[in-house]
Amino acid sequence: MTQVSALLAIDLGTESARVAVYAGDGALLGQSQSGYPTRYPHPGWAEQDPEDWWRAVVIATRAAHAEAGTPPVAGVAVATTASTVAVLGPQGRPLRPALLWMDSRASAESERTAATGHPVLRYAGGGDAVEWLVPKAMWLAGHEPEVYQAAGRITEAVDYLVWRLTGTWAGSRMNAVCKWNHDPLGAGLPDDLYAQLGVPGLREKLPDRIVPVGDPIAPVSARARADLGIGGEAVVSSGGIDAHLSLLAIGGPRTGRVSVVSGTSTAFVTEIADPVFPPTVWGPYPDALTAGRWLVEGGQVTSGSVLTWVGEQLLGRPRTELPELIRAASALPPGEHGLVVLDYFMGNRTPLRDPRLRGAVLGLTAGTRPEEVYRAAVEGVAYGTRQVLDSFVEGGVPVDEVFVSGGIRHNPLWLRTTADVLGRPLHLVRGDNLTLRACAVIAAAGIDGGSATLAEAAAGFAPAAELVEPDGTTRDLHERGYADYLAATAATRSIAHRLSDPSRTATSPAAAPRATATAAAPARGGPR
């Protein structure tokens, strides 16, 4: 690999922009972060201001670059949550707040995509998730038609940041394949599907070109270099979806290797050599990360955010007191609290693919203790993780190695319980943010020729990992708990659907606008 002065990695998460500066050999030179608020104007909605993203990127970049000693920057890459959708005027100014990835307002539109039977949807398990760009664009066209028509661009957050960096509209092939129904093996962007779904002009509002992960896009503009306080060639290469890119930061994709990034939400990604098409996963996505291979995705919409809500909101513990609550819950025997917690606080991503499911705590008594509630919540989140990985295996997706990273590494009970519930060893990734490290891999590949060198760069940037073995003595207890979790999911489904009906909540007091920078924070930190 070519030796470079420095690589700039930018990770736009749910709560903050994280920025790191790396040397060409993968050594971390400096890092920082800066936050921004999220607004929840109605239940199930989540919005942010794209201008806040750029301000946070500038603040974090200046701080990380200063800590690194202000070296010249040779390569830059960006990863963001997805689909976090910005709606922009012709000059790139936001026309309305961006729809955050977790925003579930487009559930009816998501169901409409599945009803089309369009052949490209076989790469998406038969239909688009409520979180993705296409259903969100459909919602805008149906509910805010003036805004939709005025929009010069409807783009992912990653596209917006690339434009702010370079002045160029270029979309990541990863986002295009995984979130826009782009078919790299066939017709590309499906104009006929967009027309069928009521957004016939969507193609013109998307980025002008689609670029494979790791390929160079354009240099950072003089204006952006001045904003960020950086010098050097600073070529921006195509990044993508934060959790999906984590495969590049654990040594590179390999069949049977699954990256599980657990923070506010939990994302599961792996690559396979030959496609399978179970309805319980998202994908398989052709060429999304690696040409000639298929990316498979699963996920829990809420995981660490469930634990934060239980600790801080339900039990009223300040974040500084959460470690004590975790210790008290860790002292309890697993599965003996008489409780079941369902982790569907913002619906289910996979394998049920049901945005209208809702969370629940079952079995409460007048004698239930706070640490029992917290322990049950941890187990419920772990059962959700097992449900996803079981669906992989049942659908023909190999699961041989499980690498875990993110906020889970700061919560020993969550980590231990996950290993015990899964009944398999976990490779706990040490060190810094995997998404930032993946962006460094992409930046290095981009200045060295493009995506053909991604595997070489990934091998050179792989972090260390430690093995977390399951405790076999808890197996029977967790088997019973998991069976109760599945039964409770089935038993409460119709009630959850009624409770999540927008007509029940649109004019309720809970619909009043509010803003918070920490409402979705994972317990003790994390990648989103």
Side-chain angles (χ1 to χ4, degrees), residues 326-344:
I326 292 170
R327 282 191 290 271
S330 299
L332 299 175
E336 295 186 3
H337 37 64
L339 303 173
V340 175
V341 172
L342 301 181
D343 60 323
Y344 312 121

Side-chain angles (χ1 to χ4, degrees), residues 302 306 341-347 357-361 492 496 499:
T302 47
V306 172
V341 172
L342 301 181
D343 60 323
Y344 312 121
F345 281 35
M346 296 287 281
L357 283 181
R358 290 296 178 262
V361 183
T492 60
L499 294 175

Side-chain angles (χ1 to χ4, degrees), residues 265-458:
S265 64
T266 297
F268 305 70
V269 288
T270 187
E271 272 196 346
I272 53 179
D274 300 301
V276 294
F277 296 91
T280 52
V281 304
W282 298 121
Y285 304 120
D287 297 350
L289 177 58
T290 307
R293 292 177 63 82
W294 302 77
L295 190 74
V296 174
E297 172 192 3
Q300 293 167 265
V301 184
T302 47
S303 50
S305 55
V306 172
L307 306 184
T308 298
W309 181 84
V310 168
E312 297 185 11
Q313 303 298 321
L314 180 63
L315 301 177
R317 302 295 179 89
R319 187 167 295 198
T320 56
E321 295 181 13
L322 288 181
E324 179 55 38
L325 179 63
I326 292 170
R327 282 191 290 271
S330 299
L332 299 175
E336 295 186 3
H337 37 64
L339 303 173
V340 175
V341 172
L342 301 181
D343 60 323
Y344 312 121
F345 281 35
M346 296 287 281
N348 176 268
R349 184 178 290 161
T350 68
L352 305 178
R353 301 173 58 162
D354 187 345
R356 295 190 294 155
L357 283 181
R358 290 296 178 262
V361 183
L362 306 177
L364 291 168
T365 73
T368 299
R369 293 174 290 163
E371 58 266 32
E372 292 176 321
V373 176
Y374 191 84
R375 170 130 207 159
V378 171
E379 291 171 6
V381 170
Y383 294 147
T385 298
R386 175 173 170 178
Q387 186 175 218
V388 175
L389 288 177
D390 280 359
S391 75
F392 274 29
V393 175
E394 292 162 5
V397 178
V399 179
D400 299 326
E401 302 174 292
V402 178
F403 285 78
V404 296
S405 60
I408 192 172
R409 64 192 177 97
H410 300 295
N411 188 325
L413 177 60
W414 184 11
L415 178 63
R416 163 53 49 201
T417 302
T418 301
D420 293 347
V421 166
L422 296 180
R424 63 166 74 232
L426 304 177
H427 299 268
L428 177 64
V429 180
R430 296 175 180 168
D432 55 338
N433 180 304
L434 278 195
T435 301
L436 289 172
R437 185 162 285 273
C439 285
V441 170
I442 292 165
I447 61 175
D448 215 46
S451 56
T453 64
L454 271 178
E456 181 185 349

